C-alpha cells in the first residue's frame, strides 16, 4: 500500500475526519497554488517577496555569516521565486555554496535542477525530492559542510503551535551548533485581512482544497462526489489559528480502495491550519527549540516576518 493511500485511509478514519495538506501539491495543485499566490487577497507571498527583493544583500550577509562554504537547504522550495533573489545575491558575493532545494513535488525538483543553473550562472544545484526530514538526513550524508536552512512561505504555520515546536526541534536535531535557519512567519493582523486571504473572491482556495478529492479519485480509485462538498475557512484572532475545512453538503458514502466512509450532512473534513504568530511568540519558539533569534526582516506593513535563528 503506497504512503498516500495509507495516510488517506487513516486520516478519514479519524474523528473528526481530516486530510494531510501536503498532498495538495500534485501538478494541478501546483498550478492552482500559483493562481492563489497571484490573487489580490493572498498577501503572504507578496509580503515575503518584498522582504527578499528589498533586503537581499542584508539577508545574504546574515546567512553567509562568515562561513567559507556551506549548503543552502530550502524546505518546500516550490519554484524558488523568492529564494532566487537570495541565490543571485550570494553568487554576486562569490559565496561558496550549494543550493539544495527539497520538495515533495518531483516535477518542481526536476524544474529547479534544469532551469536554475541556466537562470543564475555559477549556481550549483542539488535537488532533493521527498519528505523534509528524510531529505535533510540525505543532505547531511551528501555533505558535512555548514548548513543554512530556509523555511519560507509561512510553511511553519501549516502546523499547530505544539507541532511547530516539535518540528523545529527535529530541524535542530538535524543541524550542528552555529548552523542557521531562516523561518518565515505570517504575523497576526486584522482578522478580515487574514480570512480574505483564505477565501478569495475568485475561488482559487476553494478549488485548491477540492482538488485533493479529485486527486484521491484519480490516483487512489476514490469515488468522491466533489460537488457534494464545500470549502469553509475560519479564523480565531485569539489563538491565531486560521483553519480550512470541507463540509459535506449531504449525507453520503465514499469508497476508497474498497473501504467505505460515511459522511453525515454538514460533517467536516479538516484540511489545513495556517497559524499566525506575534513576534514575541516566534522568539519564544526559537529559544524553546534550541535556537536563538539573530535578526528580523519585515515587509513595510510588518505583516510578515523572516527571522534568522542560530543553533545553540
Amino acid at each position: 500500500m503506497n504512503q498516500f493511500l495509507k495516510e488517506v485511509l487513516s486520516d478519514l478514519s479519524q474523528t473528526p475526519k481530516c486530510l494531510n495538506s501536503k498532498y495538495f501539491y500534485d501538478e494541478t495543485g501546483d498550478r492552482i497554488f500559483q493562481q492563489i499566490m497571484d490573487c489580490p487577497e493572498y498577501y503572504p507571498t507578496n509580503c515575503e517577496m518584498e522582504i527578499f527583493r528589498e533586503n537581499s544583500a542584508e539577508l545574504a550577509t546574515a546567512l553567509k555569516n562568515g562561513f567559507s562554504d556551506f549548503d543552502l537547504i530550502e524546505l518546500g522550495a516550490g519554484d524558488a521565486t523568492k529564494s532566487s533573489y537570495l541565490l543571485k545575491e550570494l553568487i554576486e558575493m562569490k559565496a561558496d555554496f550549494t543550493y539544495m532545494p527539497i520538495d515533495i513535488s518531483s516535477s518542481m525538483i526536476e524544474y529547479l535542477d534544469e532551469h536554475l543553473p541556466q537562470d543564475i550562472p555559477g549556481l550549483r544545484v542539488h535537488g532533493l525530492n521527498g519528505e523534509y526530514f528524510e531529505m535533510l538526513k540525505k543532505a547531511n550524508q551528501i555533505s558535512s559542510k555548514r548548513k543554512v536552512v530556509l523555511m519560507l512561505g509561512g510553511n511553519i504555520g501549516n502546523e499547530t503551535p505544539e507541532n511547530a515546536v516539535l518540528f523545529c526541534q527535529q530541524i535542530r536535531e538535524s543541524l550542528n551548533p552555529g548552523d542557521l535557519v531562516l523561518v518565515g512567519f505570517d504575523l497576526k493582523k486584522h482578522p478580515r485581512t487574514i480570512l480574505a486571504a483564505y477565501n478569495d473572491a475568485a475561488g482559487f482556495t476553494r478549488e485548491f482544497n477540492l482538488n485533493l478529492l479529485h486527486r484521491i479519485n484519480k490516483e487512489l480509485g476514490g469515488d468522491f462526489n466533489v460537488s457534494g462538498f464545500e470549502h469553509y475557512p475560519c479564523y480565531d484572532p485569539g489563538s491565531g489559528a486560521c483553519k480550512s475545512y470541507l463540509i459535506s453538503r449531504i449525507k453520503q458514502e465514499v469508497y476508497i480502495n474498497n473501504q467505505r466512509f460515511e459522511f453525515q450532512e454538514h460533517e467536516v473534513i479538516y484540511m489545513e491550519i495556517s497559524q499566525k504568530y506575534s513576534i514575541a511568540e516566534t522568539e519564544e519558539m526559537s529559544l524553546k527549540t534550541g535556537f536563538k533569534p539573530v535578526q528580523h526582516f519585515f515587509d513595510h506593513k510588518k505583516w510578515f516576518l523572516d527571522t534568522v535563528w542560530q543553533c545553540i
Side-chain angles (χ1 to χ4, degrees), residues 158-214:
N158 293 142
E159 305 284 349
T160 64
E162 297 76 20
N163 286 342
V165 166
L166 296 175
F167 182 85
C168 290
Q169 287 172 338
Q170 281 185 276
I171 295 290
R172 177 61 188 86
E173 288 166 8
S174 303
L175 301 174
N176 293 312
D179 288 348
L180 298 177
V181 300
L182 178 73
V183 194
F185 287 98
D186 193 5
L187 297 175
K188 291 177 177 176
K189 59 190 68 66
H190 197 288
R192 278 197 294 270
T193 300
I194 291 172
L195 192 56
Y198 299 89
N199 197 28
D200 59 283
F204 293 130
T205 311
R206 179 183 69 247
E207 293 306 313
F208 187 57
N209 278 258
L210 290 171
N211 179 63
L212 183 45
L213 305 189
H214 285 297

Coordinates of all heavy atoms in Angstrom, one line a residue, residues 158-214:
N158 N 1.7 25.8 8.8 CA 0.8 24.7 8.5 C 0.8 23.6 9.6 O 0.3 22.5 9.4 CB 1.3 24.0 7.2 CG 1.1 25.0 6.0 OD1 1.9 25.0 5.1 ND2 0.0 25.7 6.0
E159 N 1.5 23.9 10.7 CA 1.4 23.1 11.9 C 0.7 23.8 13.0 O 0.8 25.1 13.1 CB 2.8 22.7 12.3 CG 3.7 22.1 11.3 CD 3.4 20.6 11.0 OE1 2.6 20.0 11.8 OE2 3.9 20.1 10.0
T160 N 0.1 23.1 13.9 CA -0.4 23.7 15.2 C 0.9 24.2 15.9 O 2.0 23.8 15.7 CB -1.1 22.7 16.0 OG1 -0.2 21.7 16.5 CG2 -2.3 22.1 15.3
P161 N 0.7 25.2 16.8 CA 1.9 25.7 17.6 C 2.6 24.6 18.3 O 3.9 24.6 18.4 CB 1.2 26.7 18.6 CG 0.0 27.2 17.9 CD -0.5 26.0 17.1
E162 N 1.9 23.6 18.8 CA 2.5 22.5 19.5 C 3.4 21.6 18.6 O 4.5 21.3 18.8 CB 1.5 21.6 20.2 CG 0.6 22.2 21.3 CD -0.4 23.2 20.7 OE1 -0.8 23.1 19.5 OE2 -0.9 24.1 21.5
N163 N 2.8 21.3 17.4 CA 3.5 20.6 16.4 C 4.7 21.4 15.8 O 5.7 20.8 15.4 CB 2.6 20.1 15.3 CG 1.7 18.9 15.8 OD1 2.0 18.3 16.8 ND2 0.6 18.6 15.1
A164 N 4.5 22.7 15.7 CA 5.5 23.6 15.2 C 6.8 23.5 16.1 O 7.9 23.5 15.6 CB 5.1 25.0 15.0
V165 N 6.6 23.4 17.4 CA 7.7 23.3 18.3 C 8.4 22.0 18.1 O 9.6 21.9 18.0 CB 7.2 23.4 19.8 CG1 8.2 22.9 20.7 CG2 6.8 24.8 20.1
L166 N 7.6 20.9 17.9 CA 8.2 19.6 17.7 C 9.0 19.6 16.3 O 10.1 19.0 16.2 CB 7.2 18.5 17.6 CG 6.4 18.2 19.0 CD1 5.3 17.2 18.8 CD2 7.4 17.8 20.0
F167 N 8.4 20.2 15.3 CA 9.0 20.3 14.0 C 10.4 21.1 14.1 O 11.4 20.6 13.6 CB 8.1 21.1 13.1 CG 8.6 21.2 11.7 CD1 8.4 20.2 10.7 CD2 9.3 22.4 11.2 CE1 8.9 20.3 9.4 CE2 9.7 22.5 9.9 CZ 9.5 21.5 9.0
C168 N 10.4 22.2 14.8 CA 11.6 23.0 14.9 C 12.7 22.2 15.7 O 13.9 22.3 15.5 CB 11.4 24.3 15.6 SG 10.4 25.4 14.5
Q169 N 12.2 21.4 16.7 CA 13.2 20.6 17.5 C 13.8 19.5 16.6 O 15.0 19.2 16.7 CB 12.4 19.9 18.7 CG 12.1 20.9 19.8 CD 11.2 20.3 20.9 OE1 10.5 19.3 20.6 NE2 11.2 20.9 22.1
Q170 N 13.0 19.0 15.7 CA 13.5 18.0 14.7 C 14.5 18.6 13.8 O 15.6 18.0 13.5 CB 12.4 17.3 13.9 CG 11.6 16.2 14.7 CD 10.6 15.6 13.8 OE1 9.5 16.1 13.6 NE2 11.0 14.4 13.2
I171 N 14.2 19.8 13.3 CA 15.2 20.6 12.5 C 16.5 20.8 13.2 O 17.6 20.5 12.7 CB 14.6 21.9 12.1 CG1 13.4 21.8 11.2 CG2 15.7 22.8 11.4 CD1 13.6 21.2 9.8
R172 N 16.4 21.2 14.5 CA 17.6 21.4 15.3 C 18.4 20.2 15.4 O 19.6 20.2 15.4 CB 17.1 22.0 16.7 CG 18.3 22.2 17.6 CD 19.3 23.2 17.1 NE 20.5 23.3 17.9 CZ 21.6 22.5 17.8 NH1 21.6 21.5 16.8 NH2 22.6 22.6 18.5
E173 N 17.7 19.0 15.6 CA 18.4 17.7 15.8 C 19.2 17.4 14.5 O 20.1 16.6 14.6 CB 17.5 16.6 16.2 CG 16.9 16.7 17.6 CD 15.7 15.9 17.8 OE1 15.4 15.0 17.0 OE2 15.1 16.0 18.9
S174 N 18.8 17.9 13.4 CA 19.4 17.6 12.1 C 20.6 18.5 11.8 O 21.3 18.4 10.8 CB 18.4 17.8 10.9 OG 17.3 17.0 11.1
L175 N 20.8 19.5 12.7 CA 21.9 20.5 12.5 C 22.9 20.5 13.6 O 22.7 19.9 14.6 CB 21.2 21.9 12.4 CG 20.1 22.1 11.2 CD1 19.4 23.4 11.3 CD2 20.8 21.9 9.9
N176 N 23.9 21.3 13.4 CA 25.0 21.5 14.4 C 25.0 22.9 15.0 O 24.5 23.8 14.3 CB 26.4 21.2 13.7 CG 26.5 19.7 13.3 OD1 26.2 18.8 14.0 ND2 26.9 19.5 12.0
P177 N 25.6 23.1 16.1 CA 25.7 24.4 16.7 C 26.4 25.4 15.7 O 27.4 25.0 15.1 CB 26.6 24.2 18.0 CG 26.4 22.7 18.3 CD 26.2 22.0 17.0
G178 N 25.8 26.5 15.6 CA 26.3 27.5 14.7 C 25.6 27.6 13.4 O 25.6 28.6 12.6
D179 N 25.0 26.4 13.0 CA 24.2 26.4 11.7 C 23.0 27.4 11.9 O 22.6 27.7 13.0 CB 23.7 25.0 11.5 CG 24.7 24.0 11.0 OD1 25.9 24.5 10.7 OD2 24.5 22.8 11.0
L180 N 22.5 27.8 10.7 CA 21.4 28.8 10.7 C 20.2 28.3 10.1 O 20.2 27.5 9.2 CB 21.9 30.1 10.0 CG 23.1 30.8 10.5 CD1 23.5 32.0 9.5 CD2 22.9 31.4 11.9
V181 N 19.0 28.9 10.5 CA 17.8 28.7 9.8 C 17.2 30.1 9.6 O 17.3 31.0 10.4 CB 16.8 27.7 10.5 CG1 17.4 26.4 10.7 CG2 16.4 28.3 11.8
L182 N 16.4 30.2 8.5 CA 15.6 31.4 8.2 C 14.2 30.9 8.1 O 13.8 30.1 7.3 CB 16.0 32.1 6.9 CG 15.2 33.3 6.5 CD1 15.6 34.5 7.4 CD2 15.4 33.7 5.0
V183 N 13.4 31.4 9.1 CA 12.0 30.9 9.2 C 11.0 32.1 8.8 O 11.1 33.2 9.4 CB 11.7 30.4 10.6 CG1 10.4 29.6 10.6 CG2 12.8 29.6 11.1
G184 N 10.0 31.8 8.0 CA 9.0 32.7 7.6 C 7.8 32.5 8.5 O 7.3 31.4 8.6
F185 N 7.3 33.6 9.1 CA 6.1 33.6 9.9 C 5.1 34.6 9.4 O 5.5 35.8 9.3 CB 6.4 33.9 11.4 CG 7.1 32.8 12.2 CD1 8.5 32.9 12.3 CD2 6.4 31.8 12.7 CE1 9.2 31.9 13.0 CE2 7.1 30.8 13.4 CZ 8.5 30.8 13.6
D186 N 3.9 34.2 9.2 CA 2.8 35.1 9.0 C 2.4 35.7 10.3 O 2.0 35.0 11.2 CB 1.6 34.4 8.3 CG 0.6 35.4 7.7 OD1 0.9 36.6 7.7 OD2 -0.4 34.9 7.2
L187 N 2.4 37.0 10.4 CA 2.1 37.7 11.7 C 0.6 38.0 11.9 O -0.1 38.1 10.9 CB 2.9 39.0 11.8 CG 4.5 38.8 11.8 CD1 5.1 40.2 11.8 CD2 5.0 37.9 13.0
K188 N 0.2 38.0 13.2 CA -1.2 38.4 13.5 C -1.5 39.8 13.0 O -0.6 40.7 13.1 CB -1.4 38.3 15.0 CG -1.4 36.9 15.5 CD -1.5 36.8 17.0 CE -1.6 35.4 17.5 NZ -1.6 35.3 19.0
K189 N -2.7 40.0 12.4 CA -3.1 41.3 11.9 C -4.6 41.3 11.9 O -5.2 40.4 12.6 CB -2.5 41.5 10.5 CG -3.0 40.4 9.5 CD -2.2 40.5 8.2 CE -0.8 40.1 8.3 NZ -0.5 38.7 8.7
H190 N -5.2 42.2 11.3 CA -6.7 42.3 11.3 C -7.3 41.0 10.8 O -7.0 40.5 9.7 CB -7.2 43.5 10.5 CG -8.6 43.9 10.9 ND1 -9.7 43.1 10.6 CD2 -9.1 45.0 11.6 CE1 -10.8 43.7 11.0 NE2 -10.5 44.8 11.7
P191 N -8.3 40.5 11.6 CA -8.9 39.2 11.2 C -9.5 39.2 9.8 O -9.4 38.2 9.1 CB -10.0 39.0 12.2 CG -9.5 39.8 13.4 CD -8.8 40.9 12.9
R192 N -10.1 40.3 9.3 CA -10.7 40.4 8.0 C -9.6 40.2 6.9 O -9.9 39.5 5.9 CB -11.5 41.7 7.8 CG -12.9 41.7 8.4 CD -13.7 42.8 7.8 NE -13.2 44.1 8.2 CZ -13.6 44.8 9.3 NH1 -14.5 44.2 10.1 NH2 -13.1 45.9 9.6
T193 N -8.5 40.7 7.1 CA -7.4 40.6 6.2 C -7.0 39.2 6.0 O -6.7 38.6 4.9 CB -6.2 41.5 6.6 OG1 -6.6 42.8 6.7 CG2 -5.0 41.4 5.6
I194 N -6.8 38.5 7.2 CA -6.4 37.1 7.2 C -7.5 36.2 6.6 O -7.2 35.4 5.7 CB -6.1 36.7 8.6 CG1 -4.8 37.4 9.1 CG2 -5.9 35.1 8.7 CD1 -4.5 37.2 10.6
L195 N -8.7 36.4 7.0 CA -9.8 35.5 6.5 C -9.9 35.6 4.9 O -10.1 34.6 4.2 CB -11.1 35.7 7.2 CG -12.2 34.7 7.0 CD1 -11.7 33.3 7.3 CD2 -13.4 35.1 7.8
A196 N -9.8 36.8 4.4 CA -10.0 37.0 3.0 C -8.9 36.3 2.2 O -9.1 35.9 1.1 CB -9.9 38.5 2.7
A197 N -7.7 36.2 2.8 CA -6.6 35.5 2.1 C -6.9 34.0 1.9 O -6.3 33.4 1.0 CB -5.3 35.7 2.9
Y198 N -7.8 33.4 2.7 CA -8.1 32.0 2.6 C -9.5 31.8 2.1 O -10.0 30.7 2.1 CB -7.9 31.3 3.9 CG -6.4 31.5 4.3 CD1 -6.0 32.5 5.1 CD2 -5.5 30.5 3.9 CE1 -4.6 32.7 5.4 CE2 -4.1 30.7 4.2 CZ -3.7 31.8 4.9 OH -2.4 31.9 5.3
N199 N -10.1 32.9 1.5 CA -11.5 32.8 1.0 C -11.6 33.8 -0.2 O -12.5 34.6 -0.2 CB -12.5 33.1 2.1 CG -13.9 32.6 1.7 OD1 -14.1 31.7 0.9 ND2 -14.9 33.3 2.2
D200 N -10.6 33.7 -1.1 CA -10.5 34.7 -2.2 C -11.8 34.7 -3.1 O -12.4 33.6 -3.3 CB -9.3 34.4 -3.1 CG -9.3 33.0 -3.7 OD1 -9.0 32.0 -3.0 OD2 -9.6 32.9 -4.9
A201 N -12.1 35.8 -3.6 CA -13.3 36.0 -4.4 C -13.3 35.2 -5.6 O -14.4 34.7 -6.1 CB -13.4 37.5 -4.8
A202 N -12.2 34.9 -6.2 CA -12.1 34.1 -7.5 C -12.3 32.6 -7.2 O -12.6 31.8 -8.1 CB -10.8 34.3 -8.2
G203 N -12.2 32.2 -5.9 CA -12.5 30.8 -5.6 C -11.3 29.8 -5.8 O -11.5 28.6 -5.8
F204 N -10.1 30.4 -5.9 CA -8.9 29.5 -6.1 C -8.6 28.6 -4.9 O -8.3 27.5 -5.0 CB -7.7 30.4 -6.4 CG -7.8 31.1 -7.8 CD1 -7.5 32.4 -7.8 CD2 -8.1 30.4 -8.9 CE1 -7.5 33.1 -9.1 CE2 -8.2 31.1 -10.1 CZ -7.9 32.4 -10.2
T205 N -8.8 29.2 -3.7 CA -8.5 28.4 -2.5 C -9.6 27.3 -2.4 O -9.2 26.2 -2.0 CB -8.5 29.3 -1.2 OG1 -7.7 30.4 -1.4 CG2 -8.0 28.5 0.0
R206 N -10.8 27.6 -2.7 CA -11.8 26.5 -2.7 C -11.4 25.4 -3.7 O -11.5 24.2 -3.3 CB -13.1 27.1 -3.2 CG -14.3 26.1 -3.2 CD -15.6 26.7 -3.7 NE -15.5 27.0 -5.2 CZ -15.5 28.3 -5.6 NH1 -15.7 29.3 -4.8 NH2 -15.5 28.5 -6.9
E207 N -11.0 25.8 -4.9 CA -10.6 24.7 -5.9 C -9.4 24.0 -5.4 O -9.2 22.8 -5.7 CB -10.3 25.4 -7.2 CG -11.6 26.0 -7.9 CD -12.7 24.9 -8.0 OE1 -12.4 23.8 -8.4 OE2 -13.9 25.3 -7.6
F208 N -8.5 24.7 -4.7 CA -7.2 24.1 -4.2 C -7.6 22.9 -3.2 O -7.0 21.8 -3.3 CB -6.4 25.1 -3.6 CG -5.0 24.7 -3.1 CD1 -4.1 24.2 -4.0 CD2 -4.6 24.9 -1.8 CE1 -2.8 23.8 -3.6 CE2 -3.3 24.6 -1.4 CZ -2.4 24.0 -2.3
N209 N -8.5 23.2 -2.3 CA -8.9 22.2 -1.3 C -9.7 21.1 -2.0 O -9.4 19.9 -1.7 CB -9.8 22.9 -0.2 CG -8.9 23.6 0.8 OD1 -8.8 23.1 1.9 ND2 -8.4 24.8 0.5
L210 N -10.6 21.4 -2.9 CA -11.4 20.4 -3.5 C -10.6 19.5 -4.4 O -10.9 18.3 -4.7 CB -12.6 21.0 -4.3 CG -13.7 21.6 -3.4 CD1 -14.6 22.4 -4.3 CD2 -14.4 20.6 -2.6
N211 N -9.5 20.1 -5.0 CA -8.6 19.3 -5.9 C -8.1 18.0 -5.2 O -7.8 17.0 -5.9 CB -7.5 20.2 -6.4 CG -6.5 19.4 -7.3 OD1 -7.0 18.9 -8.4 ND2 -5.3 19.2 -6.9
L212 N -7.9 18.1 -3.9 CA -7.4 16.9 -3.2 C -8.4 15.7 -3.3 O -8.0 14.6 -3.4 CB -7.1 17.2 -1.7 CG -6.5 16.1 -0.9 CD1 -5.3 15.3 -1.6 CD2 -5.9 16.6 0.4
L213 N -9.7 16.0 -3.3 CA -10.7 15.0 -3.5 C -10.6 14.5 -5.0 O -10.7 13.2 -5.2 CB -12.1 15.5 -3.3 CG -12.3 16.2 -1.9 CD1 -13.8 16.4 -1.7 CD2 -11.8 15.3 -0.7
H214 N -10.4 15.3 -5.9 CA -10.2 14.9 -7.3 C -8.9 14.0 -7.4 O -8.9 13.0 -8.1 CB -10.0 16.1 -8.2 CG -11.2 16.9 -8.5 ND1 -12.3 16.3 -9.2 CD2 -11.6 18.2 -8.3 CE1 -13.2 17.2 -9.4 NE2 -12.8 18.4 -8.8

